[in-house]
Amino acid sequence: MRFENLTEEGGWLLADGGLVQASERFHEALELWRGAAFADLPESLALQAESARLEKLRASALADRIDIDLSLGRESTAIPELAALVEESPLLERHWGQLMTALYRRGRAQEALDVFARARAMSTDRLGVEPSGELGQLHVRILQEQPSESLLRLPVATPVFSPINRELGRPPSIGVTLSSNDTDTLATLVKQHRALIVTGPAGIGKTHLLRAVRARFEAQHCLAPFLSASTLSRSIPLGVFAGTAGSFSEGWRTPAALIDSFTRHRSTTVLLVDNVNLLDESSLFVVTQLISTSRVPTILVTRSLTDAPAEIRTLYDSGELTEVSVQKLSDVEAYELAVGITGGPLTPDSRLSILDAAAGNPFHVREIIAGSLTDGLLVQTEHCWELRGNPVPSPRLAQLVGARFDGLEDASVEAAALVAIAGEYPGEALGAAQRRILARADVLVLSDGGRWRLTNPLESEVLRARFSKALWKDLTREVVQVLKSDLASDMPRAQLRAHILALDLGDPVDIPATMALAEMALGAFDERLALRALEAVITQDPKNVHAYRLAGLAVSALRMLDAADAHFGNAHRYAASEAEITAVALAHAQHSGLRLQNPRSALEIVERALSVVEAPGELAQLHRGRMRWSAVAGMGGKVMPPPSITSDVADASGLMIVGVSGVITGPLDETHRALAHLHQIPEETIDLVPGGAALIALTEIMALSNSGDVVAAQHRLRQKIVEASTRALESLGQWEYALGFSELLSGDASQAHALALSAVGHLEWRDTTGLLPAAQALTAASALAAGHPGAESRVMFDRIPTAASSDPKVVMLRAWAEARIAWAQGHREEAAHTLVETAQWLLWAQHTYFAGMLAHCAIRIGCKMDDAVVVLGEAHAIAGGGLLTLLLRHGEATVAGDATELNKIAREAHELGLVATAADTWVSLIASSGTEDLPDRLKHQRSAVAQLLTEKPALVSWVA
């Protein structure tokens, strides 16, 4: 029949990307219609069935032809045709979507939205359901003003696999890889290449991808029979086709009838075959004939080409099949899958742990989350889902992962269990024979350090389930002995692991060693391990002051506030020496200042200790603590000199406080001296201060920024964000906050807002420096500057705890935001007054650099400039540093109206990364230029401003 031949030819041209030629064939085919098929013949059931089939084929060809016309830019002729079609067939959503697309492509977005409203009303009135997801997606894309090309069903680009290659049987010259999320890509590939074989390891998501493609084609009103071969269907000739009963004519029970049925529907059918390696001989014959002779679009699935039957490999070798390899998910894709399962985000460390265990396998992601939820290890907290322990596989996954142990003797499985318990195990403790057996079975691999570890970390939990508790305990004792022996002398962390395992055994612990373990765990942000160790110590020594103190810090970080009160209460009760009183007071103050975000309460705790302590060393530590919390509370206070250089953790913490104080209050030279001293303290001592290394690095970067080199400081911050994303998640929030703050004051508001939002999320999980209120304030301020609705800013400011409202960082950003609102409303004097008044308060509170930054904003507004220059002068005299020097020069030159100096300062500011300062200065110079100004200078200034606005479109300006 000519109509079918033309539509079939049009389908192949469309698959090969020949849109113009395909359109011609569909137009020619549709012009053959003169009304209902067989209308002039006597009615019969057979003719009715054939007429219905042809009508369905005509409707599909018409819809395809319109899709092609839209891709070819023929909307003008398509719109009236589609308007008639939706009236004739109001239940065909595809035409409604095409009409929306055509209107939007012609720039008639509101009319397209009106069409959606009509389609929705029709669907709900007549069918009682909402329109399909596809129609809803078109609606959303129009609302989001996405490019009109995104609404098209067909890509404009021509596929690379030509008809010539297909006819000659040449294999495509490119290999295709995708992940189990790439449904659209696979659908496009089958249109381009007609027959695909999808390969990939078990659990990688091949079947999931096949089902998703099936849903996509069925949504386009195509037949997509899904055949899933199995050992059961393999024993029944053509048994795999049982699922297609009813899809085609009834005489499908022979290979010839099946082939004929599929051939008659090939233009609207995509055959999907899972587990092609398990097809029975008859089914395999049908599938190969449908691909090679009938040329039915087909997607086959198997683990690898070598697993596929010889007939399938022959088709691949001849070029009839294109291989599509399903690769593991990226970390982003795997995390999106995890969030979709849990319904909410994971804490950063939980995310890392689950993704590492899953290794990009979507099946593993699902089953690990299921197993961890079932065991109560994955729990929902206030902000995120948190994994409390190691990931646990579901029974189904455990069975699959543990299958490799089924053929091993008991002695070999026990040897693998020893490695699982230890994490890393010296090879000599296993013996050569066991090493060879387990390595040959792919159970063990050599680590970078030359020790043995499990190939798959999930196998540890699988092995644990194979042993009784008593036997597992015996194996654990054996591991402890090995890790404490000379066999593990070259393993730096062996002793640490031995002490951790001792906690699992429940045996009496070595108190000094366990306390050291707890301190190390706190420094590494493993508070749950620290708490386990400390509870073991307290059980044996119920009056151990330092155990209570560290336990208070651990539960504080875990947000167990009642437990923190109890531990700090016991620590105060049993503290006897002045050293113990001091240490407990400083730890308790940290809990109040950081976790409760109440620096005034922290200050009161330190003051109480100061009233009873007399020893000079302890007094110095308490005075530095008072300096720290006075600064955070915005209460000024005396600046303390740094302590002497020792290997003591308390002195290291004191040096860090002095260093941070220097970049806040000045003088900057004091920070450089403190940093020099800190670099002489042993690294292992710094590691015992939670977040100590990150705090030192942050101080260095702040000092670099205060020296004036914002470009270098921002570069360092971006490096730190990248590093923290993989190696130190607990510090990620502070780096994002610092870079966001720098962007807000010197550059792009949109970047500042994105960084601030991310920082809030990370700091809600882990805030080691008390920056969460400041990050919330930064989010609010940057939202205003980026043009977001004012309600967003108010909500974020309202989230800041009342106790943290006097934090100078919060005060500064709130004042900056209030000034921004006044400035946007045209109240420049009011904006400048707010900035200068807050800057004066910040000077009193010894936040010198913040004071200078706010005063500089007032200078750029051009109001209250004399007062602002006074603030800048005082700040510069106190703190020093290149940044304040430049800001003071800018203020003085602005007041004096020195255009030459201001132009020079703008160039310097641009070089240093103070982009907003440079732009505002040049804009002001351009606005005030006169006839005596050099034309070339004005031209350069205008060009420079245009370039800056291009690089940072959301530039925070106080002039424009």
Side-chain angles (χ1 to χ4, degrees):
M1 186 176 182
R2 181 163 171 73
F3 170 74
E4 289 189 80
N5 291 336
L6 287 169
T7 55
E8 181 181 347
E9 188 177 351
W12 288 123
L13 289 166
L14 176 60
D16 288 328
L19 298 184
V20 175
Q21 298 92 330
S23 177
E24 292 172 355
R25 298 298 183 277
F26 282 123
H27 273 283
E28 187 177 351
L30 291 166
E31 287 171 359
L32 297 173
W33 281 76
R34 297 290 185 270
F38 313 118
D40 53 345
L41 296 178
E43 287 190 6
S44 71
L45 291 177
L47 286 178
Q48 286 177 359
E50 181 62 9
S51 175
R53 183 185 74 82
L54 289 172
E55 181 58 38
K56 188 174 182 180
L57 188 58
R58 187 196 72 85
S60 176
L62 176 61
D64 284 343
R65 193 265 298 162
I66 294 173
D67 280 338
I68 296 171
D69 287 348
L70 293 178
S71 291
L72 292 172
R74 300 170 180 170
E75 298 88 8
S76 296
T77 56
I79 289 173
E81 180 182 13
L82 286 165
L85 286 171
V86 296
E87 296 298 330
E88 294 172 11
S89 306
L91 298 181
L92 282 179
E93 286 192 359
R94 188 170 178 183
H95 290 326
W96 286 103
Q98 288 172 327
L99 181 55
M100 290 169 64
T101 302
L103 289 167
Y104 187 63
R105 293 270 287 166
R106 295 296 295 173
R108 297 156 66 178
Q110 186 56 53
E111 292 179 62
L113 293 173
D114 292 341
V115 167
F116 175 78
R118 288 169 53 205
R120 184 175 182 273
M122 179 277 304
S123 182
T124 54
D125 291 346
R126 297 197 184 186
L127 303 177
V129 296
E130 291 288 330
S132 70
E134 184 176 1
L135 210 60
Q137 289 175 5
L138 291 176
H139 182 229
V140 170
R141 288 171 186 162
I142 294 171
L143 288 173
Q144 293 176 340
E145 298 182 355
Q146 293 189 12
S148 64
E149 291 79 6
S150 69
L151 276 67
L152 296 173
R153 280 173 171 260
L154 300 174
V156 177
T158 302
V160 296
F161 192 53
S162 69
I164 296 175
N165 279 345
R166 180 174 288 122
E167 294 303 322
L168 295 177
R170 296 171 185 164
S173 59
I174 57 171
V176 183
T177 61
L178 43 73
S179 77
S180 61
N181 287 347
D182 292 334
T183 307
D184 291 348
T185 304
L186 187 63
T188 300
L189 287 170
V190 76
K191 289 180 179 179
Q192 292 177 355
H193 300 293
R194 185 178 56 78
L196 309 174
I197 182 163
V198 178
T199 61
I204 203 66
K206 304 184 298 298
T207 302
H208 169 79
L209 185 60
L210 204 61
R211 293 187 187 280
V213 166
R214 178 192 188 185
R216 175 189 169 93
F217 280 118
E218 287 181 341
Q220 297 174 0
H221 309 292
C222 291
L223 291 171
F226 185 96
L227 313 182
S228 183
S230 65
T231 53
L232 179 62
S233 70
R234 195 172 196 172
S235 63
I236 306 172
L238 298 180
V240 75
F241 283 95
T244 64
S247 298
F248 307 109
S249 61
E250 289 301 315
W252 64 271
R253 297 186 182 278
T254 66
L258 270 171
I259 293 170
D260 181 64
S261 293
F262 275 96
T263 301
R264 290 176 182 273
H265 299 83
R266 62 187 162 204
S267 65
T268 57
T269 299
V270 178
L271 178 62
L272 311 173
V273 186
D274 199 9
N275 301 323
V276 69
N277 53 302
L278 296 179
L279 288 174
D280 63 273
E281 289 186 7
S282 298
S283 297
L284 180 61
F285 171 77
V286 171
V287 169
T288 54
Q289 289 301 305
L290 289 175
I291 294 172
S292 60
T293 303
S294 300
R295 311 184 74 74
V296 172
T298 304
I299 304 177
L300 310 177
V301 169
T302 187
R303 291 190 181 183
S304 68
L305 280 170
T306 56
D307 286 343
E311 294 86 342
I312 299 299
R313 296 199 301 273
T314 299
L315 288 176
Y316 172 77
D317 292 338
S318 68
E320 294 284 356
L321 280 173
T322 298
E323 183 181 12
V324 178
S325 177
V326 181
Q327 303 295 318
K328 67 179 185 179
L329 299 176
S330 68
D331 283 349
V332 172
E333 291 171 324
Y335 183 58
E336 288 176 352
L337 175 59
V339 169
I341 297 169
T342 59
L346 305 173
T347 63
D349 55 348
S350 301
R351 168 183 177 175
L352 192 61
S353 183
I354 290 174
L355 297 193
D356 280 351
N361 188 309
F363 173 71
H364 287 190
V365 173
R366 296 185 186 95
E367 298 303 309
I368 288 170
I369 290 176
S372 300
L373 284 169
T374 300
D375 280 23
L377 295 176
L378 188 59
V379 297
Q380 190 169 21
T381 65
E382 181 181 358
H383 302 294
C384 299
W385 285 88
E386 181 180 21
L387 182 66
R388 297 176 176 175
N390 294 324
V392 175
S394 67
R396 181 184 177 195
L397 179 57
Q399 182 180 8
L400 292 173
V401 173
R404 70 179 68 204
F405 298 114
D406 293 341
L408 298 177
E409 296 180 352
D410 289 346
S412 297
V413 178
E414 285 189 11
L418 294 174
V419 178
I421 292 167
E424 286 191 339
Y425 209 59
E428 295 81 355
L430 285 178
Q434 292 296 349
R435 291 201 304 270
R436 283 195 294 270
I437 292 171
L438 294 173
R440 193 178 301 119
D442 197 28
V443 172
L444 296 187
V445 292
L446 273 173
S447 67
D448 294 338
R451 270 82 64 180
W452 293 91
R453 59 176 176 80
L454 294 178
T455 304
N456 187 334
L458 291 176
E459 292 170 349
S460 177
E461 296 298 325
V462 172
L463 285 165
R464 183 190 289 269
R466 285 177 170 254
F467 291 87
S468 67
K469 290 184 178 180
L471 182 52
W472 191 262
K473 251 187 174 179
D474 283 344
L475 293 172
T476 301
R477 286 193 173 91
E478 183 178 336
V479 171
V480 170
Q481 292 175 358
V482 170
L483 295 182
K484 289 183 176 180
S485 71
D486 292 341
L487 291 173
S489 59
D490 63 338
M491 297 171 61
R493 302 183 66 83
Q495 291 288 325
L496 176 63
R497 181 63 180 165
H499 290 306
I500 295 173
L501 294 174
L503 294 175
D504 294 334
L505 294 171
D507 296 339
V509 298
D510 179 333
I511 288 181
T514 307
M515 288 293 294
L517 168 64
E519 289 184 328
M520 188 173 297
L522 274 178
F525 301 98
D526 192 346
E527 293 87 3
R528 295 191 183 278
L529 172 58
L531 189 57
R532 284 176 55 208
L534 294 164
E535 287 174 343
V537 170
I538 290 170
T539 299
Q540 290 180 215
D541 183 6
K543 294 186 178 181
N544 191 307
V545 175
H546 293 305
Y548 284 118
R549 174 177 64 86
L550 294 177
L553 290 173
V555 295
S556 173
L558 293 170
R559 292 181 170 81
M560 301 164 61
L561 303 185
D562 291 340
D565 290 339
H567 284 305
F568 284 125
N570 284 327
H572 283 297
R573 182 178 303 112
Y574 296 123
S577 69
E578 292 193 349
E580 289 177 338
I581 293 170
T582 299
V584 172
L586 292 174
H588 195 186
Q590 179 171 319
H591 166 67
S592 292
L594 295 186
R595 184 59 52 226
L596 304 182
Q597 296 172 352
N598 191 339
R600 291 179 182 270
S601 173
L603 189 58
E604 291 171 3
I605 294 168
V606 174
E607 293 286 4
R608 284 198 297 270
L610 278 168
S611 67
V612 297
V613 170
E614 296 179 353
E618 280 67 33
L619 277 174
Q621 292 182 40
L622 289 169
H623 280 303
R624 280 189 289 273
R626 180 167 62 183
M627 177 182 71
R628 173 189 185 183
W629 298 116
S630 295
V632 176
M635 298 176 65
K638 182 181 178 182
V639 176
M640 294 295 296
S644 57
I645 304 172
T646 70
S647 296
D648 184 82
V649 174
D651 285 341
S653 298
L655 275 168
M656 293 177 196
I657 292 171
V658 171
V660 172
S661 174
V663 293
I664 294 173
T665 69
L668 195 58
D669 290 344
E670 196 67 49
T671 294
H672 291 305
R673 282 193 289 272
L675 289 170
H677 292 335
L678 282 166
H679 287 310
Q680 297 178 45
I681 293 178
E683 186 176 332
E684 55 269 23
T685 302
I686 299 296
D687 288 342
L688 296 177
V689 181
L695 185 58
I696 292 171
L698 180 60
T699 304
E700 291 175 333
I701 295 172
M702 290 171 68
L704 182 61
S705 180
N706 288 350
S707 72
D709 194 347
V710 176
V711 170
Q714 290 184 349
H715 176 70
R716 288 278 306 278
L717 287 168
R718 291 188 183 94
Q719 286 181 320
K720 287 296 181 182
I721 288 173
V722 172
E723 292 172 8
S725 298
T726 55
R727 297 202 297 269
L729 289 167
E730 66 281 343
S731 64
L732 184 54
Q734 76 176 32
W735 303 124
E736 291 171 329
Y737 164 77
L739 182 56
F741 182 87
S742 179
E743 282 287 354
L744 181 68
L745 272 297
S746 66
D748 192 291
S750 294
Q751 293 184 34
H753 187 248
L755 287 159
L757 276 176
S758 185
V760 167
H762 287 116
L763 290 167
E764 284 177 337
W765 166 65
R766 186 83 71 188
D767 184 9
T768 61
T769 49
L771 286 174
L772 177 57
Q776 291 168 329
L778 177 64
T779 305
S782 58
L784 279 174
H788 293 218
E792 180 181 342
S793 178
R794 288 193 295 273
V795 167
M796 191 57 74
F797 271 128
D798 289 344
R799 287 176 59 183
I800 299 172
T802 303
S805 59
S806 59
D807 181 336
K809 297 183 290 297
V810 173
V811 171
M812 178 209 180
L813 288 164
R814 193 187 295 274
W816 190 95
E818 290 173 356
R820 193 76 188 172
I821 293 171
W823 172 85
Q825 294 173 345
H827 306 312
R828 300 166 71 87
E829 286 280 352
E830 180 184 338
H833 176 78
T834 299
L835 292 168
V836 172
E837 186 178 63
T838 307
Q840 291 167 339
W841 181 87
L842 287 166
L843 269 183
W844 171 82
Q846 296 187 358
H847 278 63
T848 318
Y849 285 98
F850 287 171
M853 292 172 190
L854 288 189
H856 173 60
C857 292
I859 296 288
R860 286 156 61 190
I861 290 175
C863 300
K864 303 283 290 184
M865 290 194 294
D866 289 336
D867 293 338
V869 169
V870 170
V871 172
L872 281 166
E874 292 182 20
H876 180 260
I878 294 169
L883 176 64
L884 288 176
T885 299
L886 183 69
L887 300 186
L888 178 59
R889 283 175 54 208
H890 177 270
E892 292 173 341
T894 302
V895 170
D898 189 339
T900 301
E901 176 68 3
L902 283 171
N903 189 58
K904 179 180 178 183
I905 291 170
R907 288 201 305 269
E908 291 180 27
H910 185 205
E911 290 291 335
L912 292 170
L914 294 165
V915 181
T917 295
D920 276 4
T921 304
W922 276 321
V923 169
S924 296
L925 288 172
I926 293 168
S928 61
S929 61
T931 55
E932 70 279 3
D933 287 283
L934 299 174
D936 287 344
R937 177 184 290 178
L938 287 173
K939 181 180 179 181
H940 173 267
Q941 290 170 348
R942 291 191 180 95
S943 175
V945 171
Q947 180 64 29
L948 292 180
L949 291 175
T950 300
E951 294 171 355
K952 293 185 180 290
L955 192 71
V956 183
S957 171
W958 289 96
V959 173

